[in-house]
Amino acid sequence: MKLLQDLRRLFYPETCPNCRQQLLQNEKIICTFCRHDLPLTNFKSFTKNKVTAVFYGRIPIEKAFALLFLRKKGITKNLIHQLKYHGVEEIGIFFGDWLGEILSENQEFSSIDFIIPVPIHAKKKKRRGYNQLTKFGLCLQQHLKIPFVEGVLVRRSASATQTLKSRFERFNDLHTKFAIVNLALFKNKHVLIIDDVITTGATLEACALELLKTPGIKISILTMAYTE
């Protein structure tokens, strides 16, 4: 098996999606130099941090966390862009494994019953070929031993890409409609909504408002990155 892996690396070398340098044998998905350059949030609290502050007075959140800061220019933005628009789904695996290890150790999300992704519209998923959160969520499921559920929360309207909107427009973009296919599934459950990036929180708020129609539900949020 190792011989086959070595041969594959020889003829099809794996490269870092950020710096494009060839990965060394002990490196996975992202090179060591780029990993060390990632701007970690290092939030000490899961109940009071910059992510939870986004939702103060808007929706009730049990806990929230983001792994990295996202800036206008930098490695985080580049990696998320590669994940969303260039099919490098391995980046979702990288972040899922990293966050999964952190959360399995500190047990902050041990009361979670389901992990659900922010859905993308069926037309966009068909065009892109994937939801950038699927492999991320599956990795979290593996580490946390919590079911990852797709297709229960769905997006009913396709919106223009968020990158073309101003921050104010994104903040007020609550017209995007979401729907729960199985309302009974989340009754009296604690649900973890996952997304790639949080900026204004408008999309996550819209998802949460739909989920909050379920009796007794509790909501927490986890993202790969938080926009400074």
Side-chain angles (χ1 to χ4, degrees), residues 59-74:
I59 50 173
I61 296 296
E62 299 295 312
K63 295 183 179 183
F65 188 76
L67 179 65
L68 306 171
F69 286 115
L70 186 145
R71 291 148 185 162
K72 288 185 178 180
K73 294 182 179 180

Side-chain angles (χ1 to χ4, degrees), residues 114-117 119 148-155 178-186 191 210-211 214:
F114 295 103
I115 301 168
I116 60 172
F148 171 67
V149 182
E150 286 188 288
V152 178
L153 179 66
V154 298
R155 192 185 293 253
F178 296 92
I180 303 176
V181 175
N182 183 354
L183 196 66
L185 181 63
F186 299 138
V191 172
E210 183 64 27
L211 289 167
T214 307

